[in-house]
Each structure stands twice: as structure tokens, then as C-alpha cells.
Amino acid sequence: MLTAHYAPSRFGQLHYVECGEGEPVLLLHQTPRSWAEYRDVLPLLGATHRAIAMDTVGYGASAKPADDQGVEMFADGVGA
């Protein structure tokens, strides 16, 4: 079962969806897309792992900062 969550960060709320338990696997979408491109993959990975697909900063249901976005911001958001 897919479950949606929000995690607080210095950029605002970051949205992610997860499925399964165990060793985590983080899936990062292409820009300008969202976690939804992994909708069919999450249950497959979730059978053996904690599969997590997040919306990077500024995309999907994650916070959209006023600052210019760039690769560094996306990376910082993943770390957050």
C-alpha cells in the first residue's frame, strides 16, 4: 500500500510516498515531474525494501520556494 507523507525542511514541506519495509531505496524523479512516475514501481520495490519516492523541492506537492531553483537546491532538499 502506498502512503503519502510530508517532512519539514528549511525549504518548507517536502512530499514523499512510500511502500514496504526494510532497507530504504530513494527514487528521484526527472525534472519537471513528480513522484507519480514511480507509482507502478513502488509496490514492486516495496516487496523487499522501504521504497520512497519524493517530490523534489518545487515540484509535485513539495514546497515551492521563491528563490531560483537549481541542482544545488534539489540536492539540498533530498538531504533535508
Side-chain angles (χ1 to χ4, degrees):
M1 179 168 86
L2 302 179
T3 57
H5 307 276
Y6 285 91
S9 79
R10 66 183 177 101
F11 303 104
Q13 295 289 311
L14 298 178
H15 177 256
Y16 67 98
V17 176
E18 66 180 342
C19 180
E21 296 179 1
E23 188 74 24
V25 175
L26 179 62
L27 304 169
L28 301 173
H29 63 81
Q30 302 174 70
T31 300
R33 303 201 48 190
S34 75
W35 77 270
E37 69 181 311
Y38 295 111
R39 185 182 313 273
D40 295 333
V41 175
L42 284 168
L44 299 174
L45 287 172
T48 57
H49 293 80
R50 179 181 173 209
I52 305 162
M54 67 175 288
D55 288 330
T56 56
V57 176
Y59 293 95
S62 285
K64 297 174 180 40
D67 299 338
D68 288 337
Q69 298 174 25
V71 173
E72 292 82 8
M73 181 182 287
F74 299 145
D76 289 346
V78 171

